[in-house]
Amino acid sequence: MSEKSAGDKGFQELLTFARSITPLPDEVIQSTSDDRWVSFGTDNLYPNFLLKLYGECALHRGIVGKKLNFLMGDGIVTKAESKPFIANINQVDSAEELIQKLSYDFILFQAFAIEVQYDILNNKPLYFNHIPINHIRSNRSRTKFWVCQDWFKRRDILTYDRWVKGVNEDRKSKIFYYTGYAPSVNNIYPDVDYKASVTAMVTDMLINNWFKNNIEDGFSPAHIISFFKGVPTSEESREFERKFKSTYSGSDGLKYLINYSTGGDSSSVKIDSIPSDDYATKLTEVIKKVENSILQSHSATRLLFGVETEGSLGGNGTELEIQYEIFKQTWVKNTRNVIESGLNKLFADAGLPSIEFKDKSSLFSSSLDSTTKEKVLTIDELRNIDGKSPLPNGAGHYLIGATVPNMENGFSNNGKKLTGEDFELVKDFGVHRGEFEFVADEALNFAGDDAIENYLISEKIDGKSIATIKADIQNALGIDTTSEAITEKINKLTQAKIISSDIKNGKVNIKPVEQPKVSNEVQVMYEYVVRSGYGKPLIATSRDFCTKLINNDRLYTRADIQQMSSIFGYDIFRHCGGWYFNADTGKAENQCRHEWKMVKVIRKGNR
């Protein structure tokens, strides 16, 4: 579809909008031998296109900037002593400045490159210089690299061999090119992790240009003219559009959308009017879809990345901290691991210490003024700043002056249900079930959804006596149990390795079991399954949250589930997907058709 207007500069720009073609990250091999670079994109300028997206798509640029801020945290430190990493990296950058540049490249291109200069006398790495990824091209085997500041003109191209640890026979500078690993059809150049939204970013840029021209020229589309003789060639359509423009030009001429189609009567022409308000509504819908696509491809939430949501007043400090923690545990942690792995491999060859990113302990600075703190931090967060313990029974989980909801009554009255959007907040939790082997064990033969066991797992009871725990259970759950029963349940949870516990001087010390990093230890995890007697796992009326969680095919630790509960504001271990109307009994239930089933597993390859 092409947009036509009478005369003026907007005509050609809108024609470009209609015919815009998004470049693809194709790898174009120029030779059968391995002594030529592989072009990145059909014009060898795909990295320049990615830079254009960064420069002209405001939402994408903002997200990248915040990602870099989260990634860098509180700077770079040595791994062994957690001291600031200070080294004579090169003659221009400090160590942290170099790593910041490399991190920028990794966010934008999923790769970074360093020129390794050697000390001629002892043939050891001396300097590490940043090479912008858009300047570099590689051969098929990534053993040779070409560096050029302007690949459009292709002038002053430099050639380097690949860096190999401890090997540099010709004593020349080498290129360290690092990408980590991500599944891709490409073999040389990596796909960016926001690839799924590249088209949306292009649309965002074009919409901005479209608005600019409309504001400058004061026109809006009035009609769609449809031709049903098939889709013409580019030359035929340009010639027709040229004649059409010359006929209907003028300072007061109308703007049209020309549509070529293979459907309908080939001898007919159809003219439809476009109400301006309807056109604006549809364009607004497109803009929302573009924003959602860009946010999702970056694993970004609107609240954490400061994207306005219509009708929302924003979140409090707790919500921001929770989303910040989720983002740290998913994207930030994984990206840091990749960058640290590459740099430590390189730095070790120069005798430099291993480094790591220093994490920010909190999203908010403790230097906030008192008024701002009271607006964004909960009572418990304010008490923590002053070194005080949290209020009992969750009384400090809210802002000062906020109405404290009754979770159970609110759940029942509001009929809370989790949605597909809720799933997006926790989609990266857990580990794919394919990474584990399942183990049958009698230790699991107890009620995993028992209210008392759930209380023992989720509540802070370190240092309390059995008698105190018994009284707390009576107050919190209204269950009258015995000290012996509580002791038995603690022993079963410990045997199942859900918690670790011991009793000294009449007090119970209890804490979650840390998951083994690399071992043959049996782990207790949970899978999301349909309850016994409730039919198939998924049915036509299954809510999006449950459908996506089951199709995600992952296993979750108890800590994962607890963190989900914090995000959603209610006990997901108990209520799962939320309110459910049972058509068989005609009654509403405060739990959906699904439940968390406890399983024992061993990570594959660790036996």
Side-chain angles (χ1 to χ4, degrees):
M1 186 177 288
S2 300
E3 301 196 19
K4 298 289 155 240
S5 68
D8 63 47
K9 63 183 179 183
F11 178 87
Q12 187 60 47
E13 182 64 32
L14 290 166
L15 184 61
T16 303
F17 177 97
R19 290 177 176 164
S20 177
I21 298 175
T22 302
L24 298 175
D26 296 330
E27 296 176 339
V28 183
I29 298 176
Q30 304 181 75
S31 172
T32 56
S33 67
D34 208 21
D35 59 354
R36 289 282 292 170
W37 65 74
V38 175
S39 293
F40 196 5
T42 55
D43 58 359
N44 197 28
L45 296 175
Y46 189 76
N48 292 28
F49 165 69
L50 295 179
L51 286 176
K52 182 179 177 68
L53 293 182
Y54 171 67
E56 298 186 21
C57 178
L59 178 56
H60 174 50
R61 186 183 183 96
I63 291 173
V64 168
K66 285 202 170 184
K67 273 188 165 182
L68 180 68
N69 182 48
F70 293 150
L71 190 65
M72 293 300 296
D74 279 339
I76 310 300
V77 297
T78 58
K79 207 164 191 176
E81 300 177 344
S82 294
K83 294 181 179 180
F85 177 54
I86 300 174
N88 186 20
I89 290 293
N90 60 50
Q91 296 177 316
V92 177
D93 304 309
S94 67
E96 187 165 321
E97 288 171 343
L98 172 68
I99 295 173
Q100 185 177 55
K101 291 178 181 179
L102 301 177
S103 299
Y104 238 133
D105 277 355
F106 196 84
I107 296 171
L108 286 173
F109 303 104
Q110 211 67 21
F112 62 82
I114 299 174
E115 178 197 17
V116 183
Q117 286 185 307
Y118 286 81
D119 184 335
I120 297 178
L121 295 178
N122 58 30
N123 201 24
K124 291 289 185 181
L126 179 64
Y127 292 133
F128 302 95
N129 301 308
H130 169 242
I131 302 292
I133 285 294
N134 57 303
H135 291 176
I136 198 165
R137 299 296 184 271
S138 169
N139 62 353
R140 287 183 295 174
S141 60
R142 288 187 184 175
T143 57
K144 186 174 289 188
F145 298 91
W146 291 262
V147 176
C148 178
Q149 293 187 9
D150 187 349
W151 281 100
F152 181 78
K153 297 179 179 178
R154 296 187 183 182
R155 295 176 181 171
D156 303 321
I157 299 176
L158 302 176
T159 305
Y160 295 84
D161 289 330
R162 177 182 62 184
W163 172 86
V164 178
K165 183 178 180 180
V167 178
N168 188 27
E169 296 178 355
D170 60 8
R171 299 183 178 238
K172 294 180 180 179
S173 296
K174 300 294 185 291
I175 290 292
F176 178 77
Y177 182 81
Y178 197 75
T179 65
Y181 171 76
S184 172
V185 296
N186 283 357
N187 297 312
I188 298 103
Y189 306 113
D191 281 332
V192 293
D193 61 0
Y194 54 86
K195 179 181 178 180
S197 69
V198 165
T199 301
M201 294 176 190
V202 172
T203 303
D204 178 73
M205 291 160 49
L206 295 172
I207 287 175
N208 288 336
N209 287 335
W210 186 87
F211 273 126
K212 173 178 176 291
N213 289 319
N214 271 270
I215 291 171
E216 290 179 349
D217 301 332
F219 52 71
S220 60
H223 301 87
I224 298 178
I225 303 178
S226 299
F227 298 90
F228 300 98
K229 294 185 179 182
V231 179
T233 64
S234 297
E235 292 184 2
E236 290 172 339
S237 64
R238 278 197 292 270
E239 176 62 18
F240 171 77
E241 291 159 6
R242 184 189 63 78
K243 293 180 180 179
F244 187 88
K245 176 189 173 185
S246 64
T247 303
Y248 295 97
S249 63
S251 60
D252 297 323
L254 295 175
K255 179 185 173 189
Y256 298 88
L257 302 176
I258 296 181
N259 177 43
Y260 301 109
S261 177
T262 56
D265 184 356
S266 62
S267 63
S268 64
V269 176
K270 182 181 178 182
I271 301 179
D272 295 309
S273 297
I274 305 176
S276 59
D277 56 344
D278 182 61
Y279 191 85
T281 300
K282 293 185 182 300
L283 191 57
T284 300
E285 292 176 359
V286 171
I287 293 172
K288 287 182 179 179
K289 289 181 179 179
V290 165
E291 285 185 352
N292 289 335
S293 177
I294 295 173
L295 287 165
Q296 289 173 8
S297 70
H298 276 293
S299 301
T301 63
R302 289 180 176 271
L303 178 61
L304 183 60
F305 283 81
V307 181
E308 181 181 0
T309 301
E310 185 176 352
S312 173
L313 297 178
N316 60 34
T318 300
E319 291 174 308
L320 281 169
E321 288 287 3
I322 288 172
Q323 293 196 15
Y324 175 55
E325 187 63 30
I326 293 171
F327 194 69
K328 280 200 304 183
Q329 294 302 319
T330 53
W331 184 88
V332 173
K333 182 178 179 180
N334 294 336
T335 305
R336 283 177 176 173
N337 287 341
V338 173
I339 295 175
E340 288 170 6
S341 176
L343 290 178
N344 286 332
K345 183 187 302 183
L346 176 63
F347 290 165
D349 196 32
L352 295 174
S354 295
I355 58 96
E356 63 182 358
F357 293 87
K358 183 180 179 182
D359 204 8
K360 285 185 177 179
S361 58
S362 175
L363 183 60
F364 295 109
S365 169
S366 59
S367 62
L368 292 174
D369 63 78
S370 298
T371 303
T372 303
K373 287 179 183 178
E374 291 181 2
K375 289 181 179 179
V376 301
L377 300 180
T378 65
I379 295 171
D380 279 349
E381 289 170 335
L382 292 170
R383 290 174 64 86
N384 182 61
I385 292 175
D386 292 333
K388 298 178 181 178
S389 60
L391 294 176
N393 302 320
H397 293 175
Y398 309 97
L399 298 176
I400 293 176
T403 302
V404 180
N406 183 312
M407 188 171 289
E408 288 304 316
N409 290 339
F411 180 89
S412 301
N413 293 336
N414 296 334
K416 183 176 178 66
K417 297 180 182 179
L418 296 181
T419 66
E421 292 182 358
D422 291 322
F423 170 79
E424 293 300 318
L425 297 175
V426 299
K427 66 180 180 181
D428 294 318
F429 280 40
V431 182
H432 193 275
R433 66 188 300 119
E435 296 191 22
F436 298 97
E437 296 177 3
F438 286 75
V439 178
D441 197 296
E442 292 299 321
L444 296 182
N445 293 333
F446 63 92
D449 59 352
D450 182 278
I452 296 177
E453 290 161 358
N454 187 28
Y455 181 91
L456 294 173
I457 295 170
S458 60
E459 297 300 323
K460 296 180 179 179
I461 59 176
D462 290 350
K464 293 185 178 181
S465 66
I466 294 292
T468 301
I469 296 171
K470 178 178 178 295
D472 289 345
I473 291 174
Q474 172 67 41
N475 293 332
L477 305 178
I479 299 176
D480 188 11
T481 185
T482 65
S483 297
E484 292 75 16
I486 293 174
T487 301
E488 182 182 357
K489 290 182 183 296
I490 290 175
N491 290 336
K492 283 188 175 182
L493 291 170
T494 302
Q495 184 182 3
K497 295 189 178 180
I498 299 175
I499 60 175
S500 63
S501 66
D502 61 83
I503 300 175
K504 293 182 179 179
N505 300 322
K507 292 185 178 181
V508 177
N509 296 312
I510 183 170
K511 59 183 179 179
V513 174
E514 293 184 1
Q515 298 299 332
K517 294 182 179 179
V518 179
S519 74
N520 61 354
E521 278 192 48
V522 175
Q523 297 176 242
V524 173
M525 303 192 79
Y526 294 83
E527 58 180 343
Y528 197 67
V529 299
V530 68
R531 288 193 275 165
S532 176
Y534 279 75
K536 298 179 180 179
L538 295 174
I539 57 178
T541 56
S542 291
R543 63 203 63 185
D544 286 346
F545 175 84
C546 294
T547 299
K548 291 182 176 180
L549 193 62
I550 287 177
N551 289 337
N552 209 25
D553 207 21
R554 293 189 174 210
L555 300 181
Y556 303 86
T557 64
R558 193 64 176 82
D560 289 332
I561 300 171
Q562 281 299 114
Q563 193 167 3
M564 291 184 195
S565 296
S566 299
I567 294 169
F568 299 136
Y570 81 106
D571 190 348
I572 191 176
F573 188 81
R574 181 176 177 184
H575 301 301
C576 297
W579 179 87
Y580 167 67
F581 179 78
N582 192 328
D584 294 334
T585 63
K587 295 181 180 180
E589 301 177 9
N590 66 357
Q591 178 181 353
C592 70
R593 296 173 54 254
H594 301 98
E595 65 180 357
W596 296 98
K597 179 184 175 184
M598 189 183 299
V599 293
K600 268 196 171 184
V601 295
I602 295 178
R603 191 177 286 270
K604 290 181 178 179
N606 290 344
R607 282 189 176 275

